Every structure is written in C-alpha cells, then in structure tokens.
Amino acid sequence: MSQVRDAAVAALLDNPTTARIRPVFEGNNISYAIGFKHINYVAEAAVLNHFRAAGWPVGALYKRLGLGFEVVEIRSRLGALLDVDDEAEAVVTPATKEGANEFTFKVAQYVQRDGERVKCADSTVRVALRIDGHIAAQEDYPAGLEPFAVARLGDGERRELAATPRPYGLLNEGRGVFGGDPVLDELIGEENAFGWRWRVPYFYCHFNERVQMSGFLRIMEEAEDLFLAERGLAIKEVLDTRNWIPVVTQSQLRLLGETRMEEELYTVYTIENIFKSLLYTARMDCYVVRDGALVKTATGTITHGYLTEHAPNQWSMATLDESAIEALSTPKRVTA
C-alpha cells in the first residue's frame, strides 16, 4: 500500500510472522486427532500473535483506540490430521489488497511427521476493527489504520418475513427448537435442510454484545451434530455400530452482520451435494428477526466425510452406504 503508514501498521500489512501454537486439549474428541473447530482456532491464534508481533495486541487496540478485533471470515482447507500432541508451526502471510477495509492473512499450519515438515491446514483469515460504542479512544489512530476501523460489521441480508415468530420462552430453555417453528418452516421450505432456533449465550460473544467467529464455529459444529441426530446418524451410535466418525476437509464462515448477545438465532443447515459416496457439503445460514424482517447475519459451508479406524490408531476414509446416503438426502418434516 502506497500511503504513509505507522511502522506497526506497516508491519501488520507487510511482514510475515511465525508462531508455534499447540491446539487446545478440548479439541481432542476422537482418538488422538484435533477437530476442525480447533484447527480454525489455531489459525485465529496465529493472527492474534501477528498483531502482537506488530505492536498492536488486541487488548491495546481496545483500551487505547476503542477498536474490537473481529475475525469476519475464515476459510480453511484441511490436509493432514493435527495430533493432540503437535506443536503447529503457523505461518501468517499478509495479503490485504489496496483500498480494502479488512485485513487479509494467509495462514499455513505445518507439523513434523517422521522428520518431514507436513502442511496440515491452509486458511484465509479476514479481520475488521469494530469501533466500540462502550468506550472512547484514548489516542488517535496510527497512520494507515483508519481504513480498517468500521462502525459495524455489516447490516446483514434482509428479507421479508411472512410467518409470525413464536415467543421463545425462558433463558434456560435448553437447546432450543428443532421443528414445528413457523419461521424455520418458512426458511426451510422444500429444501433438504434442518432448522434450529436457539438463544445465543453470552459465552459465545465478546466485547459486551456480539457473537464472535469462534462462537459461529461452535454453532456450525452443533448444527451438524443436531442434524445428524435428526437424520438417524447420531455420532455416538454411528461410531459404535459402523466405526465411523465425521471428518471435515474444508470449512468457510463469513459474518454478514452482527448477532447480539442473547438474540434468538435461526440456523438453517442445508445439504448441498453428496460427492461419490465419500463427502457431502452443507451450507449453514444464520438469521435473526429484527423489526419484523429476517436478517441473515452469518453464512458458511462445510465439507464432511467419515473416517473409519481400520487398525488401532490407523484411519482411512469410509464409503457412505445406501442407508447413510438416503438419510442425508431425505429431509424430515415437522410443521407448525
């Protein structure tokens, strides 16, 4: 970028960084492997480290400049398994285009396997700096940072709503509603889709008010879990009876707007295609109801398959049988 910039901003935009990051043990759900959500968390952690290395840790951005660090998009392709004991070498390469109002970074994760450096994931991470209305900036923005400071993360995609939303109930109403909801029925229509209505808790949020990227990654994983259970492919049962466990090869999530703490989120999980009895791709769309209209606040896709353990600690791709393909292809209808 050609404009005059503060040295720390220049470092954010120009200088690659490398961090050694261990995945969090929470992500070790099956055997010794780390799941897709925590692989994305490693990519986010690498970008956070990139900001620290440039001299702008996210706490300082917030306290001194009144800016909230926001991952607004993350796209990841998974290659090799990430082991619970791995220390990933995460290489962050700036890739922000001239005139952009979001930072873009390429993040590559490498691990050591039998003395060789193996790439286990590639990600593209986009970051905005959200101006926070709760606090006042203590100092001026450094030169070159202002284009990345945005008043909102977007306004979402609005569409008319014909259905009348039903009252949700109390804050402690469990995992929400999975069928028979008029708004979900309108959103799903005749699609091969699953719907989930749920009130988002504060611990999926940050900066006092809105759901952060890691929260939507958790929502995507839970939507998949609930969808599979509805289709008769509950993860534990399939693991016990077929020795299959879901595996993710690609994922993508984009925030289109802001989802506020404790809003009711309508999540629609749609099967888009099934590829050669090995993989299936699903799209997740998340909505809130505001001023009588539906507002899409996040969207993403995920590609799933199944692994099977053919020998102790040795995994390979499983072929989907006819009953699994039928379950993935046939929606269940619960109407209001």
Side-chain angles (χ1 to χ4, degrees):
M1 294 187 174
S2 56
Q3 68 179 62
V4 176
R5 297 177 307 213
D6 175 84
V9 177
L12 283 174
L13 292 166
D14 299 329
N15 297 350
T17 56
T18 299
R20 305 200 68 85
I21 300 170
R22 289 193 181 275
V24 177
F25 182 56
E26 176 195 310
N28 175 214
N29 305 128
I30 300 297
S31 188
Y32 58 86
I34 294 295
F36 93 100
K37 181 172 85 258
H38 280 266
I39 293 172
N40 280 311
Y41 288 179
V42 170
E44 180 184 67
V47 175
L48 288 167
N49 177 75
H50 183 79
F51 273 72
R52 291 188 198 102
W56 278 110
V58 296
L61 281 168
Y62 187 75
K63 289 180 286 187
R64 292 167 55 189
L65 302 181
L67 297 174
F69 172 96
E70 296 280 355
V71 175
V72 294
E73 185 171 3
I74 186 165
R75 297 173 178 261
S76 295
R77 182 184 297 270
L78 284 60
L81 286 176
L82 185 62
D83 191 301
V84 65
D85 294 320
D86 279 330
E87 183 179 58
E89 177 193 356
V91 179
V92 177
T93 303
T96 304
K97 294 183 178 179
E98 183 78 31
N101 66 351
E102 297 172 354
F103 293 97
T104 299
F105 305 101
K106 302 292 185 181
V107 183
Q109 296 180 39
Y110 299 92
V111 294
Q112 291 294 317
R113 293 280 184 270
D114 300 322
E116 294 186 7
R117 185 173 183 251
V118 175
K119 183 183 287 187
C120 63
D122 262 323
S123 301
T124 298
V125 180
R126 293 191 169 89
V127 172
L129 301 179
R130 164 62 152 83
I131 300 169
D132 197 289
H134 297 96
I135 59 174
Q138 297 179 7
E139 56 192 80
D140 294 336
Y141 298 156
L145 194 69
E146 187 170 2
F148 303 99
V150 298
R152 292 183 58 81
L153 301 181
D155 293 321
E157 297 177 2
R158 297 180 66 86
R159 56 182 277 186
E160 295 300 316
L161 175 64
T164 300
R166 287 180 175 170
Y168 182 84
L170 301 175
L171 280 171
N172 60 356
E173 195 173 299
R175 295 182 84 186
V177 177
F178 312 121
D181 181 271
V183 176
L184 288 175
D185 291 344
E186 181 176 326
L187 284 169
I188 291 171
E190 299 302 315
E191 296 288 329
N192 179 15
F194 165 80
W196 173 35
R197 176 189 176 193
W198 181 59
R199 181 171 280 150
V200 181
Y202 84 92
F203 46 85
Y204 281 49
C205 305
H206 65 176
F207 298 121
N208 302 345
E209 64 178 11
R210 56 191 176 273
V211 181
Q212 59 181 302
M213 176 59 73
S214 64
F216 276 107
L217 286 167
R218 294 166 74 180
I219 290 165
M220 176 175 270
E221 187 169 54
E222 186 152 11
E224 166 78 7
D225 178 65
L226 294 170
F227 160 77
L228 289 173
E230 184 202 49
R231 296 295 175 94
L233 295 171
I235 288 173
K236 181 70 166 95
E237 181 180 354
V238 171
L239 182 60
D240 288 345
T241 60
R242 306 191 200 190
N243 197 32
W244 293 359
I245 187 66
V247 63
V248 174
T249 60
Q250 295 184 67
S251 67
Q252 179 267 331
L253 264 173
R254 174 75 194 188
L255 306 190
L256 304 173
E258 298 179 0
T259 304
R260 301 166 192 150
M261 186 185 298
E262 295 182 357
E263 276 195 304
E264 295 170 19
L265 191 69
Y266 295 82
T267 299
V268 179
Y269 193 84
T270 305
I271 300 300
E272 293 195 314
N273 59 64
I274 300 171
F275 182 70
K276 292 186 177 180
S277 301
L278 287 174
L279 300 168
Y280 62 94
T281 300
R283 186 182 76 252
M284 183 183 81
D285 297 306
C286 295
Y287 302 83
V288 296
V289 176
R290 291 187 188 137
D291 302 322
L294 281 163
V295 181
K296 186 192 291 189
T297 57
T299 188
T301 59
I302 189 167
T303 300
H304 259 293
Y306 282 92
L307 289 178
T308 184
E309 192 172 25
H310 54 82
N313 291 326
Q314 295 182 31
W315 298 78
S316 58
M317 291 296 295
T319 300
L320 299 174
D321 57 32
E322 290 185 9
S323 64
I325 293 174
E326 176 69 15
L328 293 169
S329 304
T330 307
K332 292 187 176 183
R333 298 295 182 210
V334 180
T335 57

